[in-house]
């Protein structure tokens, strides 16, 4: 078995050239090849196209390259986690291409498999589909996403053997696994490099044929940024928000695979007990998400899609982002509970962009909204300025067309009976007059 060259960080990144497209693993700073990126930040390499879920954090990982002016273009799904990336995009210092998270992962898996691209229902009818080829397949509008290949992939692994076989740790598979297949040159930084035969072939995530160079690098708490640790303490949550979470929980049944968005949906997780028999899915690569640990961080625990350390329940499993979104698009997630900015009479959802803000943070919202078997939206009935959120037609950028099955607000619960927006029940303390006064959409009352 051939052994892969083992280099220093400096020697490894010396193979990256001006103008290269680099694929950078990680979800937030979890599984991020931070040491390779920081070594690259010490070079004079410029005009990089940076492909990743996000551009690190301010001054950390890809964020250091950004500060140096080494990035000319960024391709990813959630740039808003780095305020400096947002500022650079707004000022025109970098060009930005936003791709839904699942499409991003699949685009690199396609490249690694020698496939030119694929059709997906994700983003159909939204601004992210503008200018792209579309096609109706089995009555559903699909968008063509070209494969995405890089010149160099920078990968973070937990363990590597001398042949380049890789094992990732918990949710650190994320984008690393697909990216390792999709570049001309693959450079891996590993926590540990072990002799041939030390890894069980049954446990290999990335075979050594994809890997070119190895670097040994140790991750510390400082390398993990905002995921480094979690502090305990009870959250102060209004009774109205808890009522929405409790009502959403009523829609879940034992055995359901459920994905929870940020905000009010996160509160549902606090209400779930083992007796409910609900399996929580997080799109960065985990089934069986448990409660947050009392202490510790991403060095000790997996992280969820909010980049928060969580525990793993008995029977949990880990996988990469491409497989995770295949679960979503393939209809293997039973329920998604998400926040909303607007829902209209046709069940269209807008929940990822607001007026006056750059379109820089779609994440996995479009994939989940169009892929989950049932979509429940939890949101306040009106915005802070009193504007209705349940409207005749969405005026904000769309997330998905006709995808919403249920709306739960602080005032009411709506469904879509026979395709019509229908008031199902009032929330505690709410009146019909109040609901009518704060809803501009036409709705019917359940019989």
């Amino acid at each position: 078995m051939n052994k892969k060259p083992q280099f220093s960080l400096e020697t490894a990144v010396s193979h990256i050239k001006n103008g290269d497209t680099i694929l950078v693993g990680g979800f937030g700073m979890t599984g991020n090849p931070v040491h390779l990126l920081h070594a690259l930040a010490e070079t004079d390499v410029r005009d990089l196209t940076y492909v990743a879920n996000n551009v690190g954090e301010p001054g950390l990982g890809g964020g250091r390259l950004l500060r140096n002016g080494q990035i000319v273009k960024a391709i990813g799904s959630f740039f808003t986690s780095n305020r400096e990336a947002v500022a650079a995009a707004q000022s025109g210092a970098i060009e930005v291409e936003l791709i839904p998270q699942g499409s991003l992962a699949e685009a690199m898996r396609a490249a690694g498999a020698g496939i030119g691209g694929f059709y997906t229902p994700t983003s159909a009818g939204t601004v992210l589909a503008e200018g792209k080829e579309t096609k109706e397949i089995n009555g559903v509008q699909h968008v063509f996403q070209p494969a995405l290949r890089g010149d160099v992939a920078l990968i973070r692994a937990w363990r590597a053997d001398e042949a380049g076989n890789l094992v990732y740790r918990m949710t650190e598979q994320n984008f690393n696994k697909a990216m390792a297949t999709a570049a001309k040159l693959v450079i891996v930084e590993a926590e540990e490099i072990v002799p041939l035969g030390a890894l069980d072939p049954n446990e290999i995530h990335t075979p050594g044929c994809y890997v070119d160079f190895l670097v040994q690098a140790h991750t510390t708490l400082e390398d993990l940024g905002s995921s480094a640790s979690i502090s305990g303490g009870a959250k102060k949550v209004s009774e109205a928000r808890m009522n929405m979470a409790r009502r959403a929980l009523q829609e879940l049944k034992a055995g359901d695979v459920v994905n929870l968005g940020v905000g009010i949906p996160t509160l549902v997780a606090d209400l779930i007990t083992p007796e409910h028999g609900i399996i929580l899915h997080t799109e960065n690569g985990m089934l069986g998400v448990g409660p947050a640990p009392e202490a510790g961080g991403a060095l000790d625990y997996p992280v969820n899609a909010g980049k928060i350390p969580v525990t793993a329940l008995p029977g949990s499993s880990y996988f990469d982002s491409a497989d995770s979104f295949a679960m979503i698009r393939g209809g293997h997630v039973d329920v998604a509970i998400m926040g909303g900015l607007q829902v209209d009479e046709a069940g269209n959802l807008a929940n990822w962009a607001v007026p006056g803000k750059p379109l820089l943070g779609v994440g996995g919202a479009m994939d989940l909204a169009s892929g989950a078997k049932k979509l429940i939206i939890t949101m306040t009935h009106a915005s802070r300025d009193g504007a209705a959120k349940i409207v005749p037609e969405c005026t904000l950028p769309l997330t998905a067309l006709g995808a919403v099955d249920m709306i739960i607000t602080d005032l009411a619960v709506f469904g879509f009976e026979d395709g019509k927006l229908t008031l199902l029940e009032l929330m505690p303390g709410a009146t019909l007059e109040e609901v009518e006064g704060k809803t501009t959409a036409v709705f019917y009352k359940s019989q």
Side-chain angles (χ1 to χ4, degrees):
M1 187 71 69
N2 291 331
K3 295 182 179 181
K4 301 296 180 179
Q6 296 185 37
F7 292 145
S8 67
L9 288 163
E10 295 74 19
T11 301
V13 299
S14 69
H15 292 82
I16 300 174
K17 306 181 301 299
N18 290 338
D20 273 352
T21 294
I22 59 173
L23 312 181
V24 181
F27 185 87
M29 298 309 299
T30 304
N32 185 267
V34 63
H35 305 90
L36 286 168
L37 292 169
H38 289 179
L40 183 58
E42 295 299 318
T43 72
D44 294 326
V45 172
R46 291 292 186 271
D47 298 328
L48 296 170
T49 295
Y50 188 97
V51 182
N53 185 59
N54 53 287
V55 187
E57 296 185 4
L60 188 61
R64 191 168 296 185
L65 298 176
L66 181 69
R67 279 188 180 177
N68 287 350
Q70 292 170 276
I71 298 173
V72 67
K73 180 178 180 179
I75 301 173
S77 78
F78 201 76
F79 300 115
T80 51
S81 58
N82 184 343
R83 63 182 181 276
E84 294 180 2
V86 173
Q90 288 179 305
S91 70
I94 63 170
E95 180 186 352
V96 169
E97 181 180 346
L98 189 64
I99 303 177
Q101 197 172 108
S103 297
L104 178 67
E106 193 68 21
M108 289 177 287
R109 180 157 69 175
I115 297 170
F118 56 93
Y119 286 96
T120 174
T122 300
S123 81
T126 76
V127 295
L128 295 191
E130 292 177 1
K132 293 191 174 183
E133 180 185 347
T134 60
K135 185 176 184 179
E136 187 173 299
I137 302 174
N138 296 326
V140 177
Q141 195 73 12
H142 284 63
V143 177
F144 183 74
Q145 173 61 52
L148 185 54
R149 187 167 179 81
D151 297 300
V152 182
L154 303 180
I155 303 301
R156 173 73 189 178
W158 177 42
R159 302 182 81 195
D161 69 12
E162 294 172 315
N165 296 307
L166 307 181
V167 176
Y168 306 105
R169 176 182 171 274
M170 296 187 289
T171 49
E172 292 179 5
Q173 290 188 52
N174 49 65
F175 288 89
N176 281 300
K177 186 177 174 183
M179 286 179 170
T181 71
K184 300 171 186 175
L185 178 70
V186 176
I187 305 173
V188 176
E189 68 168 60
E191 186 72 19
E192 182 182 10
I193 301 174
V194 300
L196 295 177
L199 298 181
D200 184 343
N202 288 303
E203 298 177 354
I204 301 299
H205 295 124
T206 295
C209 66
Y210 293 110
V211 174
D212 296 293
F213 304 146
L214 295 172
V215 177
Q216 195 279 327
H218 173 62
T219 295
T220 66
L221 284 175
E222 290 74 22
D223 299 325
L224 295 175
S226 59
S227 293
S229 63
I230 184 170
S231 57
K235 296 176 288 188
K236 291 185 178 180
V237 181
S238 71
E239 187 63 17
R241 290 168 71 88
M242 288 308 304
N243 282 339
M244 287 185 267
R246 295 185 190 103
R247 182 60 185 84
L249 179 61
Q250 293 178 28
E251 295 299 311
L252 309 182
K253 60 183 185 297
D256 276 350
V257 174
V258 179
N259 185 288
L260 301 175
V262 297
I264 296 168
T266 305
L267 301 177
V268 179
D270 298 333
L271 303 174
I272 294 173
T273 67
E275 290 70 32
H276 285 108
I278 293 164
I279 305 161
L280 291 182
H281 169 276
T282 181
E283 57 263 35
N284 59 306
M286 182 179 179
L287 272 177
V289 178
E294 294 184 0
L299 281 181
D300 310 297
Y301 296 98
V303 300
N304 64 14
K307 305 176 185 67
I308 301 299
V310 293
T311 54
L313 298 178
S316 295
S317 59
Y318 304 115
F319 33 87
D320 78 320
S321 295
D323 280 345
S324 184
F325 282 96
M327 292 178 189
I328 295 166
R329 286 190 306 271
H332 306 289
V333 171
D334 297 295
V335 183
I337 305 177
M338 305 173 68
L341 297 172
Q342 289 180 334
V343 179
D344 68 21
E345 295 172 10
N348 299 322
L349 170 67
N351 81 336
W352 69 281
V354 295
K357 299 289 184 179
L359 304 180
L360 295 174
V362 67
M366 289 185 178
D367 305 271
L368 283 159
S370 62
K373 292 179 183 176
K374 182 175 183 178
L375 178 61
I376 300 172
I377 302 302
T378 57
M379 63 183 186
T380 56
H381 206 91
S383 63
R384 290 181 180 178
D385 63 3
K389 290 187 175 182
I390 304 176
V391 295
E393 184 176 352
C394 290
T395 56
L396 298 176
L398 291 179
T399 305
L401 295 172
V404 178
D405 296 290
M406 176 174 281
I407 311 166
I408 300 173
T409 77
D410 48 337
L411 299 181
V413 179
F414 291 85
F416 289 85
E417 294 183 352
D418 298 322
K420 297 179 180 179
L421 179 65
T422 305
L423 175 64
L424 302 179
E425 62 190 79
L426 298 173
M427 293 292 279
T431 66
L432 178 59
E433 291 74 21
E434 187 177 14
V435 171
E436 289 175 336
K438 294 184 177 181
T439 307
T440 56
V442 173
F443 65 88
Y444 300 83
K445 302 178 183 65
S446 183
Q447 300 301 316

